[in-house]
Amino acid sequence: MIAGYGQSYPTFPRQYVLLHQVPAAVHHVVTERTTNGKHYRLELLNVLLPTSQIQQLQGDHFGATYQLKDQILITLGVLPDLQTGEIAWVPINPDTLGKQRELASTALFQNACDRIAAYKKRPGFYGCKLRRDDVVPIVFRNGRYWTCRNTVLTEYFLVRTQPLTTPFQNDGLTINTAAPLFTAVELSQLMQNERQLKSPRDAAEYFFQNYDKKLFLGKRSQQTYEFWEPAYMIADAGITCTGAEEFRYQPNLGIISGKYSFYFNYQWVAGQSKTPFFTVTELDGKKLPKH
């Protein structure tokens, strides 16, 4: 079954990964937003793999894809039920899961390393392969293990600080805080210029060759960086193709807010969504003051 806007049909069977005492930094971000009178809660679990662990997982192949000081960010976005706006966390005993439903954290980390390496060999061809909807987190809170019944979108990113000459040198997976700023308004102006010089078909082809499947840095503010990518043009592509679309990244924490416009049935156009970001209300179990 193919998902349309505002729907998500996860891949089955889903696998459960225990994010407790893993050999990596894990940050839990709780966010909330009220849109059109509807309140939503969205939670983000960020796993940051340092260079040393990537080297261990990749071995002799490390240098073919990765650089020193690179990090891998694995973000599990726990999306709310569209009717209730809530996330249903339920108790679970990890020992009751069969082997086919268990996903070792190291296997998840290896999968992220391998998929990123595959993408780097053919940039732009593996965008959907950097996202999964078949992984469900198990977290440890208040002396118990918990999991969720919601749709969970897992995204893999490469975190690298590397100055670029133009924003178009970035690909669709690298969170690069040193990239030049590039906004949706600038993209619209470039496309308008191309349409005046080329036929509609040539202009569309130019767009896909130069701007599509790119991750652009749109804004810097203190320690937060806002990234966006051009809207996916296939309406029934599914959330594993669209991803968060627009998100806020904070170094050493990961993604702290995303819009997920496709999931929420907002007709989003290349970084111009008027829908506000989710507000961070809790970070690693500590409630934040409301502004």
Side-chain angles (χ1 to χ4, degrees):
M1 184 177 293
I2 297 176
Y5 273 90
Q7 303 178 63
S8 183
Y9 301 103
T11 302
F12 290 100
R14 300 205 288 177
Q15 294 180 292
Y16 293 80
V17 60
L18 181 60
L19 296 179
H20 178 59
Q21 296 181 338
V22 298
V26 181
H27 296 286
H28 188 176
V29 185
V30 177
T31 67
E32 299 181 34
R33 181 179 73 189
T34 299
T35 309
N36 298 327
K38 183 78 173 181
H39 181 265
Y40 296 99
R41 178 186 177 98
L42 189 151
E43 301 190 26
L44 300 159
L45 292 157
N46 293 305
V47 183
L48 285 164
L49 304 185
T51 305
S52 58
Q53 192 160 9
I54 302 172
Q55 289 175 317
Q56 181 179 350
L57 291 166
Q58 291 292 281
D60 295 337
H61 300 289
F62 174 84
T65 301
Y66 299 98
Q67 301 176 9
L68 294 178
K69 298 185 179 180
D70 278 354
Q71 290 180 306
I72 286 179
L73 171 63
I74 303 173
T75 297
L76 291 82
V78 184
L79 304 173
D81 181 274
L82 292 176
Q83 299 300 318
T84 66
E86 298 297 327
I87 294 174
W89 289 100
V90 294
I92 188 173
N93 181 356
D95 294 333
T96 62
L97 294 172
K99 289 186 177 181
Q100 291 184 341
R101 302 185 71 190
E102 289 182 1
L103 177 64
S105 59
T106 51
L108 178 66
F109 302 164
Q110 185 70 63
N111 184 252
C113 287
D114 293 344
R115 291 195 183 193
I116 289 174
Y119 176 96
K120 282 293 190 180
K121 290 180 181 177
R122 296 182 65 190
F125 287 90
Y126 290 86
C128 293
K129 295 295 184 181
L130 298 170
R131 305 184 181 105
R132 308 176 57 171
D133 63 356
D134 64 336
V135 178
V136 185
I138 297 177
V139 298
F140 188 77
R141 300 177 188 164
N142 303 319
R144 300 186 70 177
Y145 290 103
W146 301 81
T147 191
C148 64
R149 295 173 176 168
N150 299 69
T151 296
V152 180
L153 177 66
T154 300
E155 299 191 72
Y156 301 150
F157 297 96
L158 176 65
V159 180
R160 175 181 293 172
T161 302
Q162 180 179 11
L164 304 176
T165 305
T166 74
F168 314 115
Q169 291 176 287
N170 206 31
D171 53 28
L173 73 84
T174 304
I175 294 177
N176 185 359
T177 57
L181 293 178
F182 185 69
T183 66
V185 173
E186 291 175 288
L187 176 60
S188 297
Q189 185 60 54
L190 284 175
M191 288 307 301
Q192 184 176 346
N193 295 341
E194 291 300 324
R195 292 189 186 100
Q196 294 175 351
L197 300 172
K198 296 180 173 65
S199 68
R201 180 176 179 176
D202 289 343
E205 183 177 350
Y206 184 83
F207 169 82
F208 286 116
Q209 289 180 349
N210 294 276
Y211 310 130
D212 191 37
K213 301 183 181 69
K214 299 283 188 180
L215 191 58
F216 296 116
L217 175 60
K219 183 179 179 181
R220 292 189 184 94
S221 56
Q222 297 180 345
Q223 291 298 311
T224 302
Y225 302 82
E226 293 185 11
F227 288 87
W228 66 279
E229 57 184 320
Y232 210 86
M233 304 306 293
I234 303 175
D236 60 358
I239 196 169
T240 53
C241 286
T242 60
E245 295 151 85
E246 299 173 80
F247 62 84
R248 285 176 175 162
Y249 166 79
Q250 186 169 330
N252 301 317
L253 282 180
I255 293 177
I256 59 172
S257 185
K259 291 193 175 181
Y260 301 91
S261 300
F262 180 94
Y263 180 79
F264 289 101
N265 197 25
Y266 301 131
Q267 300 294 324
W268 176 80
V269 180
Q272 300 181 58
S273 171
K274 295 182 180 179
T275 305
F277 276 101
F278 278 78
T279 299
V280 180
T281 58
E282 187 176 318
L283 177 60
D284 290 336
K286 181 180 179 181
K287 292 189 180 296
L288 302 182
K290 294 184 178 180
H291 297 286

